[in-house]
Amino acid sequence: MGTVVDDAASVEFHAFFERHYAELSRLAYMLTGESDAADDLAADALLALWHRWDRVRAADHPVAYARGVVANLARTRIRSAVRERRRIALFWSHREESTENPDIAGVVDVQGALRRLPFRKRACVVLRHAFDLSEKDTALALGISVGTVKSQTSKGMAELQKLLGERGVPQRVHAAMAPRAGQSGGRNR
């Protein structure tokens, strides 16, 4: 039998879940590029938040804390995938495969280019341009300084511009990161 405090915390967490689940799922998708994993990562993050709900609800910026948890889970997933790919590459290293004259223009799109950025640059670009977060909110979400957000975002955008080869990169990044069909992507702050 729950207490009044437990019931209040449960109601408060449920409201937080309803307000921020779609945003956290979208963030996970943009960081990993894996639509199948996005919902799982958001759910895992929210489960972790529920286990620490007393601390989270007392925090100055609970949403920033939640974004940080998603970013950390996404980083862990990406690192695991990279390690797995390396193991597979070592196993199959005796086979040489190369493509002559690849159609680079047909392969490089905004999301593909984002996946080529190092994680911190990708996270800064996604949070700043897709989620329209301020430098301060991005810093809070990632647990880094505002100066690091500025430099990583600037460097990430420069790399995207090189990869995409066009002037309108910020608009293309914002458009490419719009919620996918069937997803709600309302901005909750």
Side-chain angles (χ1 to χ4, degrees), residues 6-168:
D6 290 340
D7 290 342
S10 180
V11 167
E12 188 179 38
F13 177 79
H14 183 74
F16 182 89
F17 180 97
E18 292 295 322
R19 267 192 321 273
H20 300 291
Y21 178 79
E23 173 192 350
L24 295 175
S25 179
R26 185 170 157 231
L27 173 61
Y29 172 72
M30 295 310 305
L31 294 176
T32 64
E34 300 176 20
S35 58
D36 294 341
D39 289 333
D40 291 342
L41 287 173
D44 289 347
L46 286 160
L47 179 62
L49 292 175
W50 171 244
H51 288 298
R52 297 183 211 103
W53 187 243
D54 287 341
R55 255 188 296 169
V56 174
R57 70 198 280 209
D60 290 336
H61 305 281
V63 176
Y65 188 90
R67 290 178 185 134
V69 172
V70 169
N72 286 332
L73 289 172
R75 179 183 305 124
T76 300
R77 182 175 185 84
I78 291 166
R79 286 180 177 165
S80 296
V82 167
R83 281 192 302 272
E84 182 64 22
R85 284 186 205 120
R86 286 182 182 151
R87 284 192 291 268
I88 291 170
L90 286 172
F91 181 75
W92 291 103
S93 64
H94 66 278
R95 295 177 56 198
E96 287 190 33
E97 291 185 33
S98 63
T99 304
E100 291 185 32
N101 302 322
D103 180 12
I104 293 174
V107 175
V108 178
D109 64 359
V110 173
Q111 291 179 348
L114 276 170
R115 284 190 290 274
R116 293 175 64 184
L117 294 178
F119 182 81
R120 186 176 284 179
K121 288 178 188 172
R122 180 182 340 145
C124 287
V125 168
V126 166
L127 288 171
R128 292 282 291 127
H129 291 282
F131 285 82
D132 291 328
L133 293 185
S134 68
E135 291 164 342
K136 181 181 176 186
D137 289 340
T138 301
L140 281 169
L142 298 176
I144 58 178
S145 71
V146 171
T148 301
V149 169
K150 289 178 181 181
S151 69
Q152 293 293 293
T153 303
S154 175
K155 290 175 183 176
M157 292 304 288
E159 286 182 37
L160 283 176
Q161 189 155 352
K162 284 180 188 174
L163 291 169
L164 298 170
E166 291 187 17
R167 286 273 175 225

